[in-house]
Amino acid sequence: MRLSLNWLKDFVDLTVEAAVLADRLTMAGLEVEAVEAVVPEFSGVVVGKVTRVEPHPQADRLQVAEVADGARTYKVVCGAPNVAPGRLYPFAPPGATLSQDRKVKAAKLRGVVSEGMLLAEDELGLSADHTGLMEIPQDIPLGRDVAAALNLADTVLEVAVTPNRPDCLSVLGLAREVAALIRQPLRHPEVLVSPDPEPASQRAKITILDPIGCPRYAARLLVDLTVGPSPFWLRRRLQLAGLRAINNLVDVTNYVLLEFGQPLHAFDFERLQGGEIVVRRPHGGERAFVTLDGQERPLDGETLLICDAAQPVALAGIMGGLESEVTGATRQVLIESAYFNPPTIRRTAKRLGLSTEASYRFERGVDPDGVIHALERATQLMAEVGRGMALSGRLDEYPNPIYHPRLSLRVSRTNEVLGTNFSKAQVSRLLKRLHLPAVEAEADTLEVQVPSFRGDLEREIDLIEEVARLSGYEEIPVTLPQGEVATPRPGPEARLRQEAKQLLLGQGFFEVITYAFQPERLGALLGEADAALRLANPLSEEQAQMRTSLLPGLLDSLRRNTLKQILDVRLFELSKVFVPQTGADLPREEQWLTGLMYGAREEASWLAGKDPVDFFGLKGVVETLLDGLLIPEAAFHREDLPVYLRQGAIIYAGDLKLGCLGELKPEIADRLDLEGAVWVFNLKFEAMTAAAQAFPLYTPLPRYPAAYRDIALVLEDAVPAARVAQALYHHGRPYLEEARLFDVYSGDPIPPGKRSLAFRLSYRDPARTLTDDLVNRHHEALVKALAKDLGAQLR
């Protein structure tokens, strides 16, 4: 909200400088984002009176005027069509400075010396208007400085109004706050309307068919109007507020919107069929409506319309229609001033993607009791600048008056919340300055009738905030909170998350964080786009659906890295995915740990070549991760691979499925312009958490030595090494401490279809030293158990 201090002075006398006022407004919750000094671009320009006008002797389109400034008379050559004897105009004598730092000096024009200039608005830098000399009030003393006479020097505050304070989206609303802050009385503009004897009700009629969407609708009818440019003072205030002047009739509605915060609309009454206004929802055949900007807007059953007797003429609270707009031929105007239900306007504005000054205020809530005040003010100004007449009586339909609550405020509770020591009288005086009159109800309680313009006041705590705002937050004592705060010990899942990240970082991976929303093109990479949950109103097509996998985001990050010539990449992400649930409104949120490897296994050096990542490199990363997280009995099985993997394995911890790993299908890599294999793992973190053992807080060093045995077993190729390791640990209890695979061999003399797996076994008893005899007997029993369980033969 841009607030002109000159405009503000119509409502309240300012006793502080602009910078001080900006600071006080900010501390009261209305942040002033900028203070802009408005300085005229000219100097030395005075009020001059044209005493005589004669034709130029050598130019048909020029005239020679005699201009008096109260001290002397000048001869001025002028080409403006509206120059006339006896009238006052801005006059720049020799030595004056105009916009763009142009100096005025006497000059000969077509043989006649011109001693200065009579000025148009563009020459003063006030607007782009060059149609004629600038019209100024005719009661200004001769020779007075024009900038001072027209009060052109100003200061504009850029105020950031929070959504809960729509009453401050106006000069009047901000003036209430300023008056309370600087302890000055608030003034209201005097509104006097001299109506024509004919009643408006004989020509116009209002019908509200939807009192929920439109609780109140009022109107005034004006006749014999003349459309033209607005006077300079009105255009100037609109310009400083950031609005463009259109014509005198429309500018009045915008002026009152800024002044009182009440959006208005002007209908060309002669274009309203039947002279009737009907507020209703669309009929069955009404599918679209053309607004003032010439755009066709689709209608639905929730759109609130302003209609005449035959058709819609406006989108209620948002924008008028092309068929009833004010034009240069308009002579009769019906001014609309209404209160619309905020959610109704908000839903329609959001659906249409159409935000206007009117909808911005209506969807936050305007003052339902301020409808008439704004209507009368607009009627007065439109009759004045349009040189017309208002018919007597206003049309006002208000079937169900809106209730305004009465709140109780406990002084003791106020002091308890704020840490202050206010008396009841002090609290009452503070509220009165904010136009919140309070009456005593009980010894400790005040009753406050909430005014219609403060729809944000709903509870006792809201009134306490008002007391704090006005007394000054800086006046509230600073007290430190007391109490014992214990840092919560992170749970197992939090520790597991941190440990998993550290394990991957230690293996050369980089953690990435990708968007939870992703485009359909990424979801389609894995063939899962149809399963993803689409957003009803996405910010962009790049964030159109909720991800069901972390892998597409990682692959997109990989693609971006390769475009920057980073060709050896290891990335991982530990985050949520969103899985749609049949029959449920919300998706199921799951935690997954996903990573990828691309390029070389390790950085090339003089000692090692640049070997590419392969399955065993990826499997080693995952095994290190699971081992570090104390997830036992990890096994890898070739079964039911996801559709996006070319080769790989499903990962189990015992009977619990953890996820998968493997090589991405080449066609997916090709779609991302990736050369070479992409290796990925995808682990469900909830399953990992369930399978992980508790982290040991302390494990003492072994006191007794271990005994080592090597064993080479010949088995079928189909028996995985993980299954053998699982059997070794199972049958090797209680002495087998570790079984580590150190050799895999196939070929002569191993029979076809079989292979040899060699393990180093470590036996230890934490309570004693194992004898060779005991270890040998235990080892022989283990070999027999493996032969029976797996069909293994010693090599």
Side-chain angles (χ1 to χ4, degrees):
M1 172 74 189
R2 289 177 58 84
L3 175 65
S4 160
L5 294 194
N6 284 345
W7 198 347
L8 181 65
K9 290 173 185 176
D10 290 352
F11 293 84
V12 61
D13 294 326
L14 298 183
T15 58
V16 296
E17 297 296 326
V20 176
L21 178 61
D23 183 63
R24 291 195 184 180
L25 282 171
T26 299
M27 292 304 297
L30 295 165
E31 182 186 1
V32 177
E33 297 179 325
V35 179
E36 175 186 340
V38 180
V39 180
E41 298 180 14
F42 59 88
S43 61
V45 178
V46 299
V47 176
K49 182 176 183 179
V50 176
T51 59
R52 183 178 179 184
V53 178
E54 295 180 347
H56 193 290
Q58 297 183 24
D60 295 337
R61 296 185 179 181
L62 297 178
Q63 301 179 79
V64 180
E66 290 184 359
V67 182
D69 66 356
R72 57 164 289 191
T73 301
Y74 302 84
K75 183 178 289 187
V76 178
V77 176
C78 178
N82 63 330
V83 62
R87 293 192 61 79
L88 303 181
Y89 301 101
F91 172 61
T97 302
L98 303 183
S99 63
Q100 301 177 359
D101 203 28
R102 294 173 295 167
K103 295 287 186 180
V104 177
K105 55 186 179 180
K108 184 178 289 188
L109 298 175
R110 296 288 184 94
V112 178
V113 176
S114 180
E115 302 172 308
M117 294 177 62
L118 292 170
L119 300 170
E121 289 183 13
D122 67 328
E123 293 165 326
L124 293 170
L126 298 176
S127 75
D129 185 12
H130 194 72
T131 57
L133 300 180
M134 179 179 177
E135 297 288 347
I136 62 175
Q138 296 299 299
D139 55 355
I140 306 176
L142 282 182
R144 187 177 179 190
D145 185 82
V146 167
L150 299 181
N151 202 19
L152 295 179
D154 199 352
T155 300
V156 176
L157 305 184
E158 190 79 40
V159 184
V161 180
T162 53
N164 67 317
R165 292 300 305 273
D167 59 302
C168 290
L169 292 171
S170 65
V171 179
L172 173 59
L174 291 173
R176 287 195 194 101
E177 294 289 315
V178 171
L181 291 171
I182 65 175
R183 301 171 186 261
Q184 292 294 313
L186 180 70
R187 295 187 298 270
H188 286 267
E190 185 179 9
V191 178
L192 295 174
V193 178
S194 300
D196 185 273
E198 181 184 355
S201 58
Q202 291 185 359
R203 297 200 194 184
K205 178 184 177 183
I206 294 175
T207 303
I208 299 178
L209 297 182
D210 186 356
I212 302 299
C214 177
R216 187 172 196 178
Y217 194 102
R220 288 294 297 258
L221 180 59
L222 291 92
V223 297
D224 301 329
L225 296 167
T226 301
V227 178
S230 297
F232 174 75
W233 65 266
L234 197 158
R235 288 185 285 116
R236 176 70 171 175
R237 287 189 169 178
L238 292 180
Q239 177 190 29
L240 293 180
L243 294 185
R244 176 178 58 90
I246 299 173
N247 61 53
N248 53 351
L249 306 187
V250 174
D251 290 348
V252 164
T253 62
N254 289 332
Y255 182 88
V256 176
L257 174 142
L258 294 172
E259 188 174 50
F260 288 168
Q262 171 64 49
L264 305 170
H265 187 69
F267 294 102
D268 187 331
F269 184 69
E270 293 177 302
R271 302 172 73 180
L272 296 179
Q273 298 186 38
E276 184 177 5
I277 288 291
V278 181
V279 186
R280 60 172 174 82
R281 305 284 176 161
H283 289 158
E286 295 170 341
R287 303 297 184 193
F289 176 74
V290 180
T291 48
L292 280 171
D293 55 3
Q295 299 296 313
E296 186 175 85
R297 311 287 180 177
L299 304 179
D300 67 3
E302 289 193 354
T303 306
L304 189 65
L305 298 175
I306 309 299
C307 309
D308 58 17
Q311 61 186 1
V313 294
L315 294 176
I318 301 177
M319 186 178 286
L322 199 61
E323 296 300 320
S324 60
E325 69 172 330
V326 172
T327 66
T330 298
R331 294 294 175 265
Q332 299 182 26
V333 165
L334 184 77
I335 305 177
E336 166 196 280
S337 183
Y339 176 85
F340 298 111
N341 176 253
T344 299
I345 304 304
R346 181 165 53 250
R347 283 193 293 265
T348 300
K350 295 298 182 186
R351 181 180 64 82
L352 297 176
L354 181 61
S355 179
T356 63
E357 291 285 346
S359 68
Y360 188 82
R361 288 164 172 79
F362 276 129
E363 64 189 27
R364 285 161 175 77
V366 300
D367 179 5
D369 292 354
V371 165
I372 299 304
H373 191 197
L375 178 62
E376 294 300 301
R377 174 67 165 161
T379 303
Q380 173 200 22
L381 292 175
M382 192 172 292
E384 177 185 326
V385 302
R387 299 185 293 279
M389 181 69 68
L391 298 191
S392 65
R394 58 176 170 264
L395 308 172
D396 183 14
E397 291 295 319
Y398 197 10
N400 301 306
I402 295 174
Y403 167 76
H404 306 298
R406 190 178 183 89
L407 302 179
S408 296
L409 176 63
R410 293 165 291 170
V411 178
S412 58
R413 177 61 177 163
T414 301
N415 289 324
E416 180 184 350
V417 171
L418 301 181
T420 53
N421 191 28
F422 290 129
S423 66
K424 183 188 293 185
Q426 288 176 304
V427 173
S428 181
R429 284 195 297 269
L430 288 171
L431 293 174
K432 185 177 180 180
R433 283 163 55 189
L434 285 169
H435 300 268
L436 300 172
V439 297
E440 185 174 341
E442 298 176 8
D444 184 53
T445 305
L446 296 171
E447 293 287 339
V448 180
Q449 177 60 56
V450 177
S452 59
F453 56 83
R454 289 302 302 271
D456 60 306
L457 302 180
E458 299 175 343
R459 302 172 297 165
E460 181 184 38
I461 194 66
D462 297 329
L463 293 177
I464 294 176
E465 182 185 1
E466 294 302 296
V467 173
R469 285 196 319 112
L470 196 55
S471 64
Y473 292 119
E474 68 277 7
E475 299 299 326
I476 297 175
V478 177
T479 56
L480 295 176
Q482 297 180 350
E484 296 182 358
V485 179
T487 303
R489 185 187 184 96
E493 183 177 350
R495 295 200 300 273
L496 203 69
R497 288 174 61 91
Q498 187 62 29
E499 187 67 21
K501 292 180 180 181
Q502 290 300 322
L503 287 167
L504 288 172
L505 291 172
Q507 297 184 79
F509 281 75
F510 287 89
E511 182 181 9
V512 300
I513 300 175
T514 60
Y515 285 113
F517 304 132
Q518 63 184 15
E520 289 188 7
R521 60 180 175 82
L522 286 184
L525 280 176
L526 308 182
E528 299 173 346
D530 294 338
L533 187 68
R534 280 195 58 85
L535 300 183
N537 188 23
L539 294 176
S540 71
E541 284 303 314
E542 289 297 302
Q543 298 179 345
Q545 63 183 26
M546 304 186 77
R547 65 187 178 194
T548 57
S549 172
L550 301 178
L551 189 53
L554 287 177
L555 290 172
D556 193 50
S557 297
L558 171 61
R559 180 185 64 84
R560 294 174 185 272
N561 276 273
T562 58
L563 291 176
K564 302 291 185 181
Q565 300 303 308
I566 301 173
L567 303 179
D568 301 326
V569 181
R570 295 188 179 196
L571 303 176
F572 80 91
E573 181 172 10
L574 174 52
S575 191
K576 291 180 180 179
V577 300
F578 306 89
V579 182
Q581 304 181 84
T582 304
D585 294 332
L586 297 177
R588 183 176 69 256
E589 298 183 14
E590 298 178 353
Q591 291 276 354
W592 284 76
L593 174 59
T594 304
L596 62 80
M597 300 174 68
Y598 178 79
R601 181 196 300 268
E602 59 185 26
E603 187 176 354
S605 69
W606 63 271
L607 187 62
K610 197 170 183 179
D611 297 328
V613 175
D614 58 15
F615 175 80
F616 296 103
L618 175 67
K619 182 171 177 284
V621 166
V622 175
E623 286 178 326
T624 302
L625 172 66
L626 298 180
D627 186 55
L629 298 179
L630 302 183
I631 297 177
E633 302 182 33
F636 300 82
H637 301 294
R638 292 183 178 181
E639 58 177 44
D640 300 328
L641 291 178
V643 295
Y644 53 83
L645 290 184
R646 177 187 183 185
Q647 58 175 320
I650 302 298
I651 308 169
Y652 286 88
D655 295 330
L656 181 62
K657 182 178 178 180
L658 301 181
C660 64
L661 82 168
E663 180 190 1
L664 202 67
K665 285 187 175 179
E667 54 264 32
I668 299 177
D670 291 343
R671 291 170 61 182
L672 296 169
D673 297 326
L674 299 174
E675 298 179 359
V678 180
W679 299 90
V680 301
F681 63 85
N682 204 15
L683 303 172
K684 190 171 184 178
F685 199 71
E686 285 94 340
M688 296 172 64
T689 303
Q693 297 177 346
F695 283 96
L697 299 180
Y698 168 71
T699 302
L701 293 175
R703 295 179 59 187
Y704 301 99
Y708 298 94
R709 299 288 187 273
D710 291 342
I711 184 172
L713 302 171
V714 178
L715 305 104
E716 299 290 338
D717 282 339
V719 179
R723 175 73 182 90
V724 180
Q726 184 180 9
L728 284 169
Y729 283 113
H730 177 72
H731 297 295
R733 292 178 294 187
Y735 302 127
L736 182 62
E737 182 180 60
E738 183 182 20
R740 184 172 296 276
L741 178 69
F742 69 85
D743 182 63
V744 178
Y745 176 76
S746 59
D748 191 45
I750 305 299
K754 294 188 177 183
R755 60 178 176 169
S756 169
L757 300 179
F759 290 85
R760 168 152 292 189
L761 307 182
S762 172
Y763 296 98
R764 191 194 306 268
D765 188 334
R768 58 176 174 156
T769 300
L770 296 175
T771 64
D772 284 342
D773 183 58
L774 177 62
V775 171
N776 290 336
R777 282 189 282 111
H778 190 77
H779 187 72
E780 290 172 2
L782 173 63
V783 172
K784 292 178 180 179
L786 292 176
K788 183 178 180 181
D789 188 8
L790 302 177
Q793 298 176 351
L794 279 178
R795 180 179 169 188

